Amino acid sequence: MAATRRELNYQKTSMTTYKSDFLNVLAERGFIHQVSEPEALDELARTSTITAYIGFDCTAASLHVGSLLPIMLLYWLQQTGHRPIALMGGGTTRVGDPSGKDESRRLLTDEAINDNLKAIREIFTRFLRFGEGASDAANDAIMANNADWLNSLNYIDFLRDVGRHFSINRMLALDSVKLRLERQQELSFLEFNYMILQAYDFVELYRRHGCVLQMGGSDQWGNIISGIDLGRRLNNAQFFALTSPLITTSSGAKMGKTAAGAVWLNADLVSPYDYWQYWRNTEDGDVERFLKLFTVLPLEEIARLAALKDQEINEAKKILATEATALVHGRAAADEAATTARTTFEEGGLGASLPTVEIDDLHTHVRVLDAAVRAGLVSSNGEARRLIRGGGLKVNDVTEHDETRLLTPDDLKDGVVKLSLGRKRHVLLKPV
């Protein structure tokens, strides 16, 4: 695959105004980082129904907050009349994408990949409308799995028909490969092939569903452009690329990472209340941007909320938390989380939907140090001791100063003990 100027550039900047609803919505809400041939894509989106896809790896049993932005891209694609494809990487997950990674991913078994795939399917039904039969609408979403075509490929045929279109020189020049090599970090032959497989996904989705647009994060630009070029060579068709910015917080932190780990979208990994709290703790400088990206509130309402200052900005954060939680966990769970937060922080109550941990020792006694570790508030007894010495641990809203304190049935309040780390993390301990 020769690297021409056109292939390397593909007009990496976006236009300021668009004629199509699809690109206008994305631009106004801050989703667009790069677009290939924006005028042609804009005209196509204005005059016809386009089909676009985003790929999702199956490396874990749940997607996380970092996956929300591409999910929202698919949401707005469908809301503006076009057809989204959520491509599950049942095949490419067996290889691993090197883009943005400093080391090789752990290889998963086929059984683990299939289990992960089943677990993450449900989240898409919260955002997309899928077809159910012969009466499907033209823009009903499609859930595809690239294992359907990648797992059955004949290696020699694939090298001859597809691999011959790829230049090693150009692949080595792409950031996803070059940065790993410059840092002298290992890049396996499996990962090196990922770009070819992703490009082939684009071709297969065009052949099967008429897909002409691939979207993704800005770190995927090189991979997507490879698919555009392969589609032109194999199908004499025009494909398009659209990437979104990689999201970090105002302080430079990576989106979706907390001290407790990744912010998962599945409720059995992160409760709706903890999910609500994640968004409630948004930095002031991120409120407007996150309202545009991660809620479906009208832009006029977002502008009103963004104008709030000082203490009033906390009201905007609560609305952000409730709206973002409603998209993932449903309105009822979001409202319950908001009520629990209000009860816990503003009224001094327990809050029915606070995370609950069962502690069998509460029938007799358990050290407050051990309870803090078992509740997941701290990682060790040593960390719990430091918190107590600094006044950072509370039992039933009372600051605890005694490292040797034992929790007993006498500490139960309405059948539970409330353990708090600072002002924002609370767990209910329940005897069993």
Side-chain angles (χ1 to χ4, degrees), residues 94-311:
R94 301 174 74 190
V95 176
D97 181 4
S99 302
K101 306 296 184 298
D102 291 333
E103 58 186 14
S104 298
R105 283 178 169 168
R106 178 175 61 90
L107 294 181
L108 300 179
T109 64
D110 289 348
E111 181 180 10
I113 291 172
N114 289 332
D115 288 344
N116 290 343
L117 191 151
K118 292 175 184 176
I120 66 179
R121 281 181 188 271
E122 179 62 27
I123 191 63
F124 289 96
T125 64
R126 297 279 187 180
F127 294 85
L128 303 176
R129 182 189 69 254
F130 290 90
E132 298 180 352
S135 61
D136 293 355
N139 69 328
D140 278 346
I142 296 170
M143 176 87 59
N145 183 352
N146 63 14
D148 292 344
W149 53 85
L150 294 182
N151 286 7
S152 60
L153 286 176
N154 180 289
Y155 185 61
I156 297 299
D157 290 342
F158 186 72
L159 286 179
R160 181 194 63 198
D161 299 335
V162 177
R164 65 189 179 89
H165 294 296
F166 286 81
S167 163
I168 293 294
N169 305 65
R170 181 167 180 264
M171 294 169 75
L172 289 172
L174 292 173
D175 285 344
S176 59
V177 174
K178 183 171 62 175
L179 292 177
R180 286 269 288 273
L181 297 179
E182 288 176 350
R183 296 170 184 163
Q184 296 186 334
Q185 293 160 335
E186 182 176 330
L187 179 71
S188 72
F189 180 71
L190 274 177
E191 293 173 295
F192 192 61
N193 274 270
Y194 189 95
M195 180 194 306
I196 302 176
L197 298 179
Q198 183 171 330
Y200 187 68
D201 283 345
F202 205 169
V203 170
E204 278 290 333
L205 290 173
Y206 170 77
R207 291 171 175 172
R208 293 167 182 244
H209 304 291
C211 180
V212 296
L213 170 63
Q214 182 181 173
M215 302 185 290
S218 59
D219 60 334
Q220 292 293 317
W221 182 258
N223 287 352
I224 299 175
I225 292 303
S226 295
I228 288 178
D229 187 70
L230 184 64
R232 190 178 70 248
R233 291 171 181 271
L234 295 182
N235 297 99
N236 193 29
Q238 184 176 27
F239 290 178
F240 300 94
L242 187 154
T243 62
S244 56
L246 297 181
I247 303 298
T248 57
T249 65
S250 294
S251 61
K254 188 173 182 180
M255 182 73 181
K257 294 292 184 181
T258 68
V263 182
W264 301 105
L265 302 186
N266 285 14
D268 57 340
L269 296 177
V270 172
S271 71
Y273 173 79
D274 285 337
Y275 190 80
W276 189 95
Q277 279 295 330
Y278 169 78
W279 293 103
R280 169 63 180 82
N281 294 334
T282 295
E283 298 174 27
D284 290 1
D286 292 325
V287 172
E288 181 178 12
R289 182 166 57 120
F290 286 2
L291 281 167
K292 288 181 178 180
L293 293 173
F294 303 115
T295 79
V296 296
L297 290 174
L299 292 176
E300 296 79 6
E301 174 65 6
I302 292 174
R304 184 190 70 80
L305 294 171
L308 299 176
K309 302 296 182 184
D310 302 322
Q311 284 300 109

Side-chain angles (χ1 to χ4, degrees), residues 3 19 28 33 128 342 389 395 399 406 430:
K19 297 177 182 178
E28 290 171 348
H33 180 64
L128 303 176
R342 183 175 62 253
R389 292 168 187 169
V395 177
T399 301
L406 297 177
K430 181 179 179 180

